[in-house]
Amino acid sequence: MSQTVPLLIRNAQVLMSDDRLAPADVWIDEGRIVAVEANLSQREGEYREIDAQGLTLLPGVIDPQVHFREPGLEYKEDLFTASCACAKGGVTSYLEMPNTKPLTTTQAALDQKLALAAEKSLVNYGFFIGATEENLPDLREANPTCGIKIFMGSMKGPLLVDDEAALDAIFREGDRLIAVHAEDRTRIEQRRKQFAGITDPAVHSQIQDNEAALIATKRALRLSKTYRRRLHILHMSTGEEAELLRQEKPDWVTAEVTPQHLVLNTSAYAEIGSKAQMNPPLKSERDNEILWQALQDGVIDFIATDHAPHTLEEKARTYPDTPSGMPGVETSLPLMLTQAMAGRCTVAQVARWMSTNPAKGYGIANKGRIAPGYDADLVLVDLQTYRTVEAKDLATKCGWSPFEGWSLTGFPRFTIVGGQVVLDQGQLQTGIRGQALSFG
Ligand code: DOR
């Protein structure tokens, strides 16, 4: 990283650490932000200058929940293609989930992923360790990891943990962050039987309904309160969960929402069929509204994409054989910035939800803000041009997006990772590599 030449970004609209957007220049050296000031003077020696006139400089997005499929499921995505998609979407760091092959449930599997990412990832990376009923020592000791992932429902095999004694032990032992996919297995299984034979993917939202999410979120909260254990509730999808957290949210609990749970609802099945199928499923327009309000009010702390690519061939099967999940890292920032330009929120809020708060929530030092001393993980976006999302422009290996045909603004022109320009005037620089993240 220190071999890259220093960078001087001129004339950007910079999101300052006090949330103001102001014209400024930014000097970057040895991967760090050194100065943020109007009209910085010329520097000595070799450096690169980027003229950012008309562009807005934001802290790089930290996407705290993605599924990048490597090792083992590379036909859907791999760490190279996924991180290319990140660079195009302004995502400079990601936290990746353990449902790969092998499952990331041991130090050896974690080390394998870290080595693959060092070799292939254009942006910074961190990995969760997955809880099973049997790997308590790994959950305590594995390092470095952003936290423990528990699938309480919506999963098959060893990563599904819903036994009370097993959950209790995981919450009791150790102190690192636990992130839960909160959907209740028992309710889902009952409802699967009730709705068996229906092949319209819209039934997915009825099977894995609001109650299934609420039961599991309540359960995770109860365990977290019993042991005062750091808990993060992944991809909250219902108004009921948001209202629950509004009533009582211990200060060691955080929650996230995906862009798709804010801007899509069950009406999406009629438009895009099984491409709208994910876990937890899309819910109603009313849920969209309550989740937005909870995000605005700080009840929900941050945004994650849950980028979960599957091939078009897999998505073309008949429900329930269609896999759940949709890609997201390439569209999340433009989607949210388009919402900001439409007056739904501010650009500063988008940066707080997508950079500052995930850094804080996972204890990632020196990231998530534009200020001297912070890492130079940055994105220069164009808020003046609107562009239609088209499959042909996507870097994700799965080759599709639920947002195809949507006109969005705020696409990145430049993405910078540790002072290295990984997206340069819209062109990917595929030789650049990110670094392993550390967690406080
Ligand atoms: O829709 C989803 N797909 N939700 C998950 O939690 C897992 C993911 C996947 O890995 O495909």
Side-chain angles (χ1 to χ4, degrees):
M1 194 161 73
S2 55
Q3 288 147 0
T4 57
V5 292
L7 273 181
L8 179 58
I9 301 174
R10 283 265 189 228
N11 305 317
Q13 277 294 113
V14 178
L15 183 68
M16 302 293 187
S17 35
D18 62 2
D19 280 0
R20 265 178 325 121
L21 275 169
D25 300 340
V26 178
W27 175 248
I28 293 162
D29 196 6
E30 301 206 339
R32 291 263 168 111
I33 298 167
V34 178
V36 184
E37 280 168 42
N39 304 316
L40 276 172
S41 52
Q42 293 291 125
R43 300 275 164 153
E44 296 292 312
E46 193 199 351
Y47 62 90
R48 174 174 175 194
E49 195 168 307
I50 292 177
D51 179 12
Q53 191 69 47
L55 301 178
T56 301
L57 187 70
L58 303 175
V61 170
I62 300 173
D63 190 335
Q65 192 195 171
V66 299
H67 302 264
F68 282 173
R69 311 302 190 204
E70 185 169 3
L73 299 159
E74 294 88 347
Y75 72 95
K76 295 177 196 270
E77 187 82 282
D78 62 57
L79 290 166
F80 177 74
T81 53
S83 64
C84 285
C86 284
K88 288 186 75 178
V91 176
T92 51
S93 297
Y94 59 82
L95 306 181
E96 206 264 351
M97 286 296 167
N99 55 329
T100 40
K101 282 186 180 171
L103 303 172
T104 320
T105 54
T106 61
Q107 182 68 52
L110 183 62
D111 288 343
Q112 185 191 4
K113 264 194 182 172
L114 286 160
L116 284 165
E119 194 188 310
K120 301 174 83 168
S121 181
L122 277 65
V123 304
N124 305 320
Y125 45 86
F127 297 101
F128 282 89
I129 179 135
T132 70
E133 291 193 2
E134 279 147 19
N135 69 341
L136 270 179
D138 303 274
L139 299 183
R140 288 187 68 119
E141 280 145 40
N143 200 36
T145 180
C146 45
I148 297 167
K149 165 73 181 277
I150 307 179
F151 285 90
M152 297 171 74
S154 295
M155 183 44 71
K156 293 188 198 115
L159 282 184
L160 176 64
V161 184
D162 84 328
D163 173 76
E164 185 64 19
L167 284 174
D168 191 274
I170 297 166
F171 275 83
R172 190 179 61 233
E173 303 277 327
D175 54 13
R176 66 168 36 133
L177 178 148
I178 295 175
V180 291
H181 178 133
E183 288 193 282
D184 186 65
R185 171 199 191 156
T186 310
R187 182 170 174 92
I188 293 173
E189 281 176 4
Q190 278 164 1
R191 290 175 74 79
R192 246 184 224 142
K193 285 189 198 128
Q194 198 178 325
F195 292 95
I198 300 178
T199 56
D200 178 352
V203 77
H204 192 63
S205 294
Q206 279 175 275
I207 295 172
Q208 300 186 201
D209 65 351
N210 290 40
E211 186 63 19
L214 184 63
I215 293 169
T217 292
K218 277 186 176 164
R219 195 174 179 201
L221 260 183
R222 171 174 55 74
L223 285 160
S224 163
K225 284 198 298 188
T226 303
Y227 299 110
R228 295 181 71 90
R229 181 67 183 260
R230 172 82 179 93
L231 171 68
H232 177 66
I233 301 163
L234 298 159
H235 46 35
M236 253 178 29
S237 63
T238 71
E240 287 85 345
E241 291 163 284
E243 292 305 334
L244 173 72
L245 281 194
R246 191 184 286 282
Q247 298 306 318
E248 63 160 345
K249 187 182 173 211
D251 58 12
W252 60 88
V253 175
T254 50
E256 77 188 24
V257 65
T258 70
Q260 55 270 33
H261 286 108
L262 295 172
V263 303
L264 296 178
N265 51 54
T266 48
S267 66
Y269 293 108
E271 304 275 327
I272 57 171
S274 69
K275 287 180 181 168
Q277 181 191 328
M278 68 169 293
N279 295 331
L282 300 175
K283 303 292 188 328
S284 69
E285 206 177 327
R286 180 174 172 275
D287 292 293
N288 296 150
E289 290 307 313
I290 302 175
L291 291 166
W292 260 115
Q293 195 58 50
L295 186 61
Q296 296 273 5
D297 296 342
V299 173
I300 297 176
D301 301 87
F302 46 82
I303 287 179
T305 63
D306 193 17
H307 180 95
H310 297 285
T311 65
L312 283 168
E313 205 182 350
E314 290 170 321
K315 282 290 197 182
R317 292 178 195 152
T318 303
Y319 187 86
D321 292 332
T322 40
S324 294
M326 53 178 80
V329 290
E330 243 159 314
T331 46
S332 56
L333 183 60
L335 262 177
M336 293 308 295
L337 289 172
T338 301
Q339 296 289 319
M341 296 318 276
R344 184 89 220 216
C345 57
T346 65
V347 171
Q349 281 177 311
V350 172
R352 192 180 316 147
W353 299 331
M354 301 187 77
S355 303
T356 320
N357 287 359
K360 196 168 146 213
Y362 282 94
I364 305 169
N366 291 326
K367 294 198 191 290
R369 275 184 200 282
I370 303 177
Y374 277 78
D375 293 344
D377 292 350
L378 299 163
V379 57
L380 272 166
V381 298
D382 175 359
L383 287 170
Q384 277 146 34
T385 312
Y386 281 75
R387 203 178 81 207
T388 303
V389 178
E390 289 187 68
K392 69 171 175 48
D393 297 327
L394 298 170
T396 173
K397 198 185 279 188
C398 73
W400 61 274
S401 161
F403 301 108
E404 280 165 48
W406 288 44
S407 177
L408 303 180
T409 189
F411 282 97
R413 295 292 302 152
F414 295 84
T415 302
I416 299 168
V417 174
Q420 311 169 98
V421 184
V422 67
L423 186 76
D424 197 336
Q425 302 266 26
Q427 297 303 310
L428 281 169
Q429 304 302 306
T430 55
I432 285 169
R433 293 293 172 268
Q435 295 203 323
L437 297 167
S438 307
F439 307 96

